[in-house]
Amino acid sequence: MSVFLDHARALRARIDQALEQAVPDTPGSQLAEAMRYALAGGGKRIRPLLLFAGFRAVRKTADHPALDTAAAALEAMHAYSLVHDDLPAMDDDELRRGKPTCHIAFDEALAILTGDALQTLAFELLCETPGLDDTIRLALVRTLARASGLKGMVVGQAIDLAAVDTQPNTAELEHMHRCKTGALIDASVRMGALIGGASESELAALAQYSRALGLAFQVQDDILDVTADTGTLGKRQGADEARNKPTYVSLLGLEEARRRAQALYLEALEALDALTGDAGELRLIAQYVVEREH
Amino acid sequence: MSVFLDHARALRARIDQALEQAVPDTPGSQLAEAMRYALAGGGKRIRPLLLFAGFRAVRKTADHPALDTAAAALEAMHAYSLVHDDLPAMDDDELRRGKPTCHIAFDEALAILTGDALQTLAFELLCETPGLDDTIRLALVRTLARASGLKGMVVGQAIDLAAVDTQPNTAELEHMHRCKTGALIDASVRMGALIGGASESELAALAQYSRALGLAFQVQDDILDVTADTGTLGKRQGADEARNKPTYVSLLGLEEARRRAQALYLEALEALDALTGDAGELRLIAQYVVEREH
């Protein structure tokens, strides 16, 4: 695990640099400042890690210049969703990654615009991914767009908001999470594989992996919401519970939720058996996801 | 003018159909319902009209199936910006196109998500424009992304919000409008021309036209804000004035603003002289923009 953590740290530095280039310091532009704030370090960068791992699972070569740009695009999309989710009309959170949320550090109007511009930035970046032909670039745009909109992330958030004070069953909860966080996790792996020139059967195996991993990630998030303390978590502990949001823990109980995370972890690993490339990083990420403490 | 208005009406029906297909009626999905509400008729559809006119200015053939999809994408992008601009933290408007704004008809959280999903939809639609090769599709995505983000529409809105109670000069006001509304108007014409297979010199002439037209549109908007009544306007008359927002009228006075709109109209027409195709529709749109009463 520690070799992987070193590798992850190195990748994070690379991703931070790509983000730094994506939104350069622009004196006098409050919008650029707020975008940089929302993108700044502290995140787990799990989506970029999945992107790189997805690439390596289908290609022998170690690297590709498009990975940095695509990683920045994924982080921009993820950061936009966090900025908007934290708004007073949504989850009303004041703390994110141990720092004041965007609308607290700036103001609400600028936070809305910051999220808007970060989403646009994600697509703009993908148009300029170096070293790819336009068909692959367009496939990256399509993958990210499908994962983010009316059939992905945003509808997941809408279902989540509507679910407060309701008692969905496990299938309904899964559907919500599959949209809200699963779709973007799936897109991350797929985009890496597309950059690597994956075949249809490789993409199918990776989709199976991502589906299990995305749910495992969410189950673990729900577990941490009740077991970790605010300092470790970087956000308010028990926040979901306090809002009376349905979680895997409230639905299954803590022990059963832990068993579910473990089962999903094994399901993710199993999907990788169909691949002939080096899926080592994807395995380590799955392990990290269910073992992490924040 | 009346022949053009008939033509515009026919195009609007076509665009409404494309939008109807883009977000089909989805029972049980509040998000889809709110998106359809935000996209529903009543708008001038000026951006799609510019798209079609841009296409015809460079191509002899009357039509292309990609125009409907690209028109829907432009309207989705425009509608998202209106939904977010109307939010309480932004312009706090309750009336738009004579109907309650999205956050009044639904709620604030859903309005934020509706805008988010409409932006995503715009890019998703462009990935699927029929009858084009991937290089042109990607050029459409790039054009729309550049016009909408940190160097286009969103930064214009950020400058606009920061400008309340300040006294910018005409150049600063122009820069703001060039970003806030001009960039998307420019993108509309350019996207039509790209679908039509425009040359670089054609794109350059059209950019000059769009630049003048975009400003003319805004000057006329400011004029109407003080001269039209709420019923004709479909939004609160004098709204900008009441918010103490700088406008061309507050800066130049009503008569000088009218002269400015006229000068920009002539500038737009002049740019079209460089084109060899049929720029008749672009001419009529320019005329409509400075003569409209709402």
Side-chain angles (χ1 to χ4, degrees):
Chain A
M1 203 67 191
S2 79
V3 176
F4 173 69
L5 288 178
D6 286 345
H7 159 71
R9 233 186 317 273
L11 271 191
R12 282 192 196 107
R14 217 177 126 170
I15 294 153
D16 285 346
Q17 205 185 350
L19 289 169
E20 173 75 31
Q21 282 177 6
V23 189
D25 194 8
T26 315
S29 170
Q30 258 219 311
L31 181 62
E33 191 190 337
M35 287 169 79
R36 289 166 63 85
Y37 182 84
L39 289 169
K44 289 181 279 292
R45 309 290 192 212
I46 190 90
R47 288 153 198 83
L49 289 171
L50 284 165
L51 174 92
F52 280 82
F55 172 83
R56 286 188 189 137
V58 303
R59 266 279 281 277
K60 291 255 161 4
T61 52
D63 215 336
H64 193 292
L67 291 170
D68 300 70
T69 316
L74 280 165
E75 280 302 279
M77 190 58 90
H78 178 54
Y80 122 67
S81 77
L82 298 182
V83 170
H84 281 188
D85 282 7
D86 288 337
L87 285 168
M90 307 269 273
D91 287 352
D92 196 14
D93 272 315
E94 302 195 347
L95 204 60
R96 163 77 65 184
R97 297 172 181 170
K99 294 189 309 181
T101 47
C102 192
H103 65 277
I104 299 291
F106 297 87
D107 64 37
E108 211 180 315
L110 197 65
I112 295 168
L113 294 174
T114 298
D116 290 345
L118 285 168
Q119 177 175 185
T120 316
L121 176 68
F123 292 112
E124 200 175 346
L125 286 169
L126 291 182
C127 291
E128 314 302 340
T129 36
L132 295 177
D133 66 36
D134 285 347
T135 295
I136 299 292
R137 285 190 183 123
L138 192 73
L140 297 178
V141 172
R142 184 185 285 126
T143 300
L144 191 61
R146 282 190 184 161
S148 311
L150 182 55
K151 285 174 187 163
M153 192 172 70
V154 173
V155 78
Q157 175 69 0
I159 298 171
D160 192 20
L161 281 173
V164 171
D165 293 327
T166 66
Q167 280 300 330
N169 59 34
T170 314
E172 288 162 344
L173 192 67
E174 278 201 12
H175 172 67
M176 185 269 283
H177 286 306
R178 222 180 268 292
C179 296
K180 190 179 170 187
T181 54
L184 201 53
I185 283 176
D186 186 68
S188 306
V189 178
R190 187 182 172 87
M191 285 163 68
L194 285 169
I195 293 172
S199 68
E200 281 305 317
S201 68
E202 283 173 319
L203 290 173
L206 289 170
Q208 252 191 303
Y209 163 86
S210 309
R211 194 180 158 97
L213 183 81
L215 284 179
F217 187 86
Q218 193 54 53
V219 176
Q220 185 64 13
D221 242 26
D222 287 354
I223 292 169
L224 291 172
D225 187 63
V226 295
T227 61
D229 57 65
T230 301
T232 317
L233 219 49
K235 57 183 175 185
R236 200 153 40 89
Q237 186 267 334
D240 289 337
E241 207 182 16
R243 269 195 294 268
N244 207 13
K245 272 194 176 185
T247 72
Y248 284 101
V249 175
S250 69
L251 218 62
L252 305 174
L254 190 56
E255 276 323 297
E256 186 55 31
R258 281 192 169 127
R259 267 193 291 273
R260 181 99 181 95
Q262 194 61 27
L264 287 163
Y265 166 63
L266 295 174
E267 201 181 311
L269 292 192
E270 216 176 86
L272 297 177
D273 291 342
L275 294 171
T276 50
D278 176 13
E281 280 178 34
L282 289 174
R283 278 194 192 89
L284 285 166
I285 291 174
Q287 189 187 343
Y288 164 76
V289 157
V290 293
E291 287 180 1
R292 76 203 158 96
E293 283 169 3
H294 57 89
Chain B
M1 203 68 190
S2 78
V3 176
F4 172 69
L5 289 178
D6 286 345
H7 159 71
R9 232 186 318 272
L11 271 191
R12 282 192 196 109
R14 220 177 122 170
I15 294 153
D16 286 347
Q17 204 185 351
L19 289 169
E20 173 76 32
Q21 281 177 7
V23 189
D25 193 9
T26 316
S29 170
Q30 259 219 309
L31 180 63
E33 191 189 337
M35 288 169 79
R36 289 166 63 86
Y37 182 84
L39 289 168
K44 288 181 278 292
R45 310 289 192 211
I46 191 89
R47 290 154 196 82
L49 288 171
L50 284 165
L51 173 92
F52 280 81
F55 172 82
R56 287 189 188 135
V58 303
R59 266 280 280 277
K60 292 254 163 357
T61 52
D63 216 335
H64 193 293
L67 290 170
D68 300 71
T69 316
L74 280 165
E75 280 301 280
M77 189 58 92
H78 177 54
Y80 122 67
S81 77
L82 298 181
V83 169
H84 281 188
D85 282 8
D86 288 337
L87 285 168
M90 308 270 272
D91 287 351
D92 196 14
D93 272 314
E94 302 195 347
L95 204 58
R96 164 76 65 185
R97 297 173 181 169
K99 293 188 310 179
T101 48
C102 192
H103 65 276
I104 299 290
F106 298 88
D107 64 38
E108 211 180 315
L110 196 65
I112 295 168
L113 295 175
T114 298
D116 290 345
L118 285 169
Q119 178 176 185
T120 317
L121 175 68
F123 292 111
E124 199 176 346
L125 285 169
L126 291 182
C127 290
E128 314 302 339
T129 36
L132 296 177
D133 67 35
D134 285 347
T135 294
I136 299 291
R137 284 190 184 124
L138 192 72
L140 297 177
V141 172
R142 183 185 286 125
T143 300
L144 191 61
R146 282 190 185 163
S148 311
L150 183 55
K151 285 174 186 160
M153 192 173 71
V154 174
V155 78
Q157 175 68 1
I159 298 171
D160 191 22
L161 280 173
V164 171
D165 294 325
T166 66
Q167 280 301 329
N169 59 33
T170 314
E172 287 163 344
L173 192 66
E174 278 201 10
H175 172 67
M176 185 270 281
H177 286 307
R178 223 180 267 292
C179 296
K180 190 180 170 188
T181 54
L184 201 54
I185 283 176
D186 186 68
S188 305
V189 178
R190 187 183 171 87
M191 285 164 68
L194 285 169
I195 294 172
S199 67
E200 281 305 318
S201 69
E202 284 174 318
L203 291 173
L206 289 170
Q208 252 190 301
Y209 163 87
S210 308
R211 193 180 158 97
L213 183 82
L215 285 179
F217 186 87
Q218 193 54 53
V219 176
Q220 185 65 12
D221 241 26
D222 287 354
I223 292 170
L224 291 173
D225 187 62
V226 295
T227 61
D229 57 66
T230 302
T232 317
L233 219 50
K235 57 184 175 185
R236 201 152 38 89
Q237 186 268 334
D240 289 338
E241 207 182 15
R243 268 194 294 266
N244 207 12
K245 273 194 176 184
T247 72
Y248 284 100
V249 175
S250 69
L251 218 62
L252 304 173
L254 189 56
E255 276 322 297
E256 186 54 33
R258 282 192 168 126
R259 269 193 290 273
R260 182 100 181 95
Q262 195 60 27
L264 286 163
Y265 166 62
L266 295 174
E267 201 181 312
L269 292 192
E270 217 177 88
L272 297 177
D273 290 344
L275 294 171
T276 51
D278 175 14
E281 279 178 33
L282 289 174
R283 279 196 192 88
L284 284 167
I285 291 173
Q287 190 187 342
Y288 165 75
V289 157
V290 292
E291 286 180 1
R292 75 203 158 96
E293 283 168 2
H294 58 89

